[in-house]
Amino acid sequence: MTTSLSETRFVHYYRQILLPEVGESGQQTLLQSHVLIVGVGGLGTHVAQQLAAAGVGHLYLMDNDKVERSNLPRQVLFAAPDIGQNKVDIAKRQIHQHNPDVHVVAWPWHFDLDSVAIFIQQQPLLSAALHQQKLTVLDCSDNLTTRHSVNLWCVEHKLVLVSAAVSAFCGQLLLVDLQNAQHAGCYRCLFNEHAITQDCQSMGVLGPTVAVVASMQAALTLKHILRVGAADDHLHVYDGYTLSWRKLKRQRDRHCPVCCTPSNSPISHQREASL
């Protein structure tokens, strides 16, 4: 049986608790949830800030970048004195100051299948959440290689992935949940490793566009954790020129090398690294 919130926490999250989809039990669920954020740049800083404010109890931040001056217009947790420091360390400090309820772990490494295995081994709470499939993964990275690695890892471990990307005035967002929306497939079903993409470094990006897409990524994550509505099976595309969203129904690729075998059943990608 779930214990009641303390008076301090009840007051802190009161306006959120008023929502019938949340309530006191939902707020407890958020406080007990675990979210891994890969990439603490434009998307990642906004998402981490919003999830922490909502009371997501355990945040794991993974990024090997340091703060640069060109980051400041859109990466809202950083300021000029932070230039040259690890992004994850600054983000952890800022989040803790805003909401001490949140347990934040900073890991200043680039995501790949080996580095995340080391990270898991060093974090007992994260390891338990992973093996119980109670970990939600957010891909906030800025390159296709990392996105495919994150997708592969999530499919292998049967984890829900919320992936977002932004370039110029536009963005895209999708949720991969092969347990509840198998028909929608995974990230690889939509984008192969050789897809032509441009990131914010090569094409530029408008700061508010990042904030819009990140807010939707945070909202989709909270909906998933709280089990609000059915599992999302769309690709959401944002057009900053017209300030509009489009929803495209996703379909699983029966020949996807990540989430399907020829008989259309999930597979475990063969590799040596283990947890």
Side-chain angles (χ1 to χ4, degrees), residues 4 57 153 264:
S4 298
W153 187 71
N264 196 35

Side-chain angles (χ1 to χ4, degrees), residues 4 27 31 33 46 95 127 131 161 183 187 190 195 201 204 273:
S4 298
Q27 191 60 56
L31 288 164
S33 62
H46 280 89
I95 290 169
S127 179
H131 289 101
L161 166 65
H183 62 277
Y187 184 89
L190 284 179
Q201 291 184 352

Side-chain angles (χ1 to χ4, degrees), residues 149-212:
S149 293
V150 174
N151 176 69
L152 171 60
W153 187 71
C154 289
V155 171
E156 286 184 335
H157 295 284
K158 300 179 180 179
L159 301 175
V160 170
L161 166 65
V162 186
S163 179
V166 176
S167 183
F169 288 81
C170 301
Q172 64 190 32
L173 173 68
L174 70 153
L175 182 144
V176 176
D177 183 356
L178 294 179
Q179 306 306 302
N180 297 296
Q182 188 181 81
H183 62 277
C186 70
Y187 184 89
R188 176 61 176 76
C189 292
L190 284 179
F191 306 101
N192 66 41
E193 291 89 343
H194 306 293
I196 299 174
T197 62
Q198 292 176 298
D199 59 27
C200 62
Q201 291 184 352
S202 61
M203 193 171 175
V205 63
L206 187 70
T209 301
V210 177
V212 169

Side-chain angles (χ1 to χ4, degrees), residues 21-98:
E21 296 85 356
V22 182
E24 191 169 357
S25 63
Q27 191 60 56
Q28 288 278 30
T29 297
L30 290 175
L31 288 164
Q32 295 165 7
S33 62
H34 298 255
V35 174
L36 168 63
I37 299 176
V38 179
V40 188
L43 290 168
T45 51
H46 280 89
V47 167
Q49 190 175 38
Q50 293 190 41
L51 294 183
V56 169
H58 302 270
L59 290 178
Y60 307 90
L61 310 178
M62 193 167 186
D63 195 319
N64 67 334
D65 281 350
K66 298 181 184 297
V67 179
E68 300 178 2
R69 185 168 295 278
S70 62
N71 300 150
L72 302 184
R74 66 193 179 281
Q75 300 184 17
V76 295
L77 288 180
F78 310 137
D82 303 323
I83 292 172
Q85 300 183 55
N86 289 328
K87 289 182 177 181
V88 292
D89 293 333
I90 302 302
K92 175 181 177 179
R93 185 186 69 203
Q94 294 287 75
I95 290 169
H96 184 73
Q97 288 176 353
H98 180 75

Side-chain angles (χ1 to χ4, degrees), residues 134-149:
K134 294 182 177 179
L135 174 67
T136 305
V137 181
L138 273 63
D139 181 4
C140 300
S141 63
D142 63 359
N143 66 89
L144 196 62
T145 300
T146 301
R147 291 175 194 141
H148 280 293
S149 293

